[in-house]
């Protein structure tokens, strides 16, 4: 395992987890307006996927989008300010948790509409092709969004015109309280790629290395002018759909499996297995905590 890349994965995942834990505290103490849809449990997807794209590329996000921004390198102080409704936030406090944009980083915006980012990603892909650049758009969406009409229309257009888009499904098995397997007739979402004659792959979304390799392959494929792909990352949502949702609709086995496959402690163990020392890992964690503290002061 590449040491620096592995340390980056761990740092990004740890940073996302800590950021979301603090957002949860804001929510519980009534400091933020509206709901928060936390990314806790899905950190490996953002960490692996965002490492596979270049600075010039675009990202389309979702209502559960904090992790995507953090992994992309967004300023956490401006993120916190946005979530708290302050003018110093990315959208001057008017977007809140579900509509943070960071255009300087190519992030086209988190999106409160389920599946709303998918046609935006196809549009960004068309723009790149029209302008003759080699930019790729990484489009995050959830399993439930794959049943929206926007998914099929946007993927069909991207496939027909060979647009440089990677459609990345974060499949945590639930759309709010509905198990995805009760409303689809396929074992995976990625198999739908066959309908559009484009590559489709399902991978373990709890392993940032596996995610990175799958997304990097799809990004390279798109950048070479071959068109879009679907990458499905199987993952877990540790909390309910939103803060305050007890998620009683999920069986106990769901969270048992989620904790067993939690990417952060598992990645820490992998680092200690000959990749990095305990002191190096503690230094990574301290750097994240220092960055969090600075973000608090700024927000």
């Amino acid at each position: 395992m590449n040491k620096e890349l592995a340390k980056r994965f761990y740092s990004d995942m740890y940073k996302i987890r800590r950021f979301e834990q603090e957002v949860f505290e804001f929510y519980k103490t009534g400091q933020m307006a509206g709901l928060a849809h936390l990314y806790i449990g899905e950190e490996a997807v953002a960490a692996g996927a965002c490492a596979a794209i270049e600075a010039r590329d675009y990202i389309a996000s979702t209502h559960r989008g904090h992790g995507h921004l953090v992994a992309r390198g967004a300023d956490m102080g401006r993120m916190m300010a946005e979530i708290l409704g302050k003018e110093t936030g990315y959208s001057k406090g008017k977007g809140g948790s579900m509509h943070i944009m960071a255009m300087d980083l190519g992030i086209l915006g988190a999106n409160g509409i389920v599946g709303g980012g998918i046609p935006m990603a196809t549009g960004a892909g068309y723009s790149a092709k029209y302008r003759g650049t080699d930019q790729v758009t990484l489009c995050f969406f959830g399993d439930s969004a794959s049943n929206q009409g926007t998914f099929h229309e946007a993927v069909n257009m991207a496939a027909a015109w060979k647009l440089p888009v990677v459609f990345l499904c974060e499949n945590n098995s639930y759309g709010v309280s509905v198990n995805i397997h009760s409303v689809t007739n396929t074992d995976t979402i990625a198999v739908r790629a066959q309908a559009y004659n484009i590559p489709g792959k399902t991978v373990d979304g709890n392993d940032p290395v596996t995610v990175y390799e799958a997304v990097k392959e799809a990004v390279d494929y798109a950048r070479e002018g071959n068109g879009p792909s679907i990458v499905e990352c199987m993952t877990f949502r540790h909390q309910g759909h939103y803060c305050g949702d007890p998620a009683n609709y999920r069986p106990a086995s769901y969270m048992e499996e989620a904790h067993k496959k939690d990417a952060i402690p598992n990645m820490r163990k992998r680092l200690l297995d000959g990749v990095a020392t305990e002191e190096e890992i503690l230094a990574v964690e301290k750097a994240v905590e220092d960055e969090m503290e600075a973000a608090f002061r700024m927000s």
Side-chain angles (χ1 to χ4, degrees):
M1 188 186 303
N2 180 289
K3 182 175 181 177
E4 292 308 310
L5 189 57
K7 286 172 66 177
R8 173 181 173 174
F9 291 150
Y10 183 72
S11 175
D12 286 349
M13 292 190 298
Y14 187 78
K15 191 183 301 183
I16 294 168
R17 179 71 57 95
R18 288 291 296 113
F19 183 86
E20 294 294 65
Q21 288 171 341
E22 295 303 327
V23 172
F24 192 27
E25 292 302 314
F26 288 147
Y27 178 82
K28 288 190 293 185
T29 55
Q31 297 182 63
M32 60 172 287
L35 298 173
H37 303 77
L38 302 184
Y39 201 71
I40 294 175
E42 302 183 11
E43 295 91 347
V45 181
C50 290
I53 60 175
E54 303 293 337
R56 62 188 182 279
D57 295 330
Y58 296 112
I59 289 177
S61 187
T62 71
H63 59 278
R64 202 177 307 282
H66 303 164
H68 307 149
L69 276 84
V70 173
R72 182 62 162 167
D75 187 301
M76 292 195 295
R78 293 182 68 187
M79 287 182 65
M80 289 180 177
E82 182 61 37
I83 289 169
L84 295 175
K86 297 184 177 180
E87 191 173 350
T88 51
Y90 267 111
S91 302
K92 298 185 177 182
K94 297 180 179 180
S97 171
M98 287 192 284
H99 296 94
I100 302 177
M101 299 182 72
M103 292 299 294
D104 57 321
L105 298 174
I107 298 176
L108 305 176
N111 203 307
I113 300 173
V114 174
I118 303 175
M120 290 172 58
T122 295
Y126 178 77
S127 168
K129 185 164 186 175
Y130 180 81
R131 290 180 290 111
T133 72
D134 67 348
Q135 294 165 293
V136 174
T137 300
L138 176 61
C139 177
F140 292 97
F141 63 97
D143 46 282
S144 185
S146 70
N147 283 343
Q148 297 291 318
T150 50
F151 169 81
H152 301 280
E153 294 169 17
V155 174
N156 180 69
M157 180 179 288
W161 293 351
K162 295 190 182 303
L163 303 181
V165 184
V166 177
F167 296 99
L168 193 152
C169 178
E170 297 179 297
N171 190 343
N172 59 35
S173 298
Y174 283 90
V176 189
S177 59
V178 178
N179 188 298
I180 188 63
H181 295 295
S182 68
V183 290
T184 58
N185 196 38
T186 57
D187 292 332
T188 70
I189 302 302
V191 73
R192 295 181 175 181
Q194 296 177 20
Y196 307 103
N197 196 29
I198 61 175
K201 179 180 290 188
T202 301
V203 300
D204 181 4
N206 307 291
D207 181 354
V209 179
T210 299
V211 173
Y212 170 82
E213 291 172 346
V215 175
K216 185 67 166 63
E217 179 183 8
V219 167
D220 291 345
Y221 180 84
R223 208 180 301 280
E224 291 166 3
N226 298 308
S229 303
I230 296 175
V231 178
E232 178 182 18
C233 297
M234 304 304 297
T235 185
F236 295 91
R237 185 186 77 198
H238 283 201
Q239 291 204 342
H241 176 61
Y242 54 85
C243 289
D245 171 17
N248 293 330
Y249 43 82
R250 299 188 310 209
S253 59
Y254 180 92
M255 283 309 301
E256 291 170 1
E257 190 75 5
H259 288 306
K260 179 181 177 182
K261 294 184 176 180
D262 191 339
I264 296 175
N266 288 340
M267 192 64 185
R268 199 179 199 281
K269 293 175 184 176
R270 290 171 70 180
L271 286 170
L272 287 172
D273 190 19
V275 179
T277 65
E278 176 71 20
E279 290 71 24
E280 288 176 306
I281 297 173
L282 289 173
V284 169
E285 294 170 351
K286 184 180 185 305
V288 170
E289 295 297 343
D290 290 346
E291 189 175 349
M292 290 292 299
E293 186 176 344
F296 280 135
R297 289 197 300 267
M298 176 182 173
S299 63

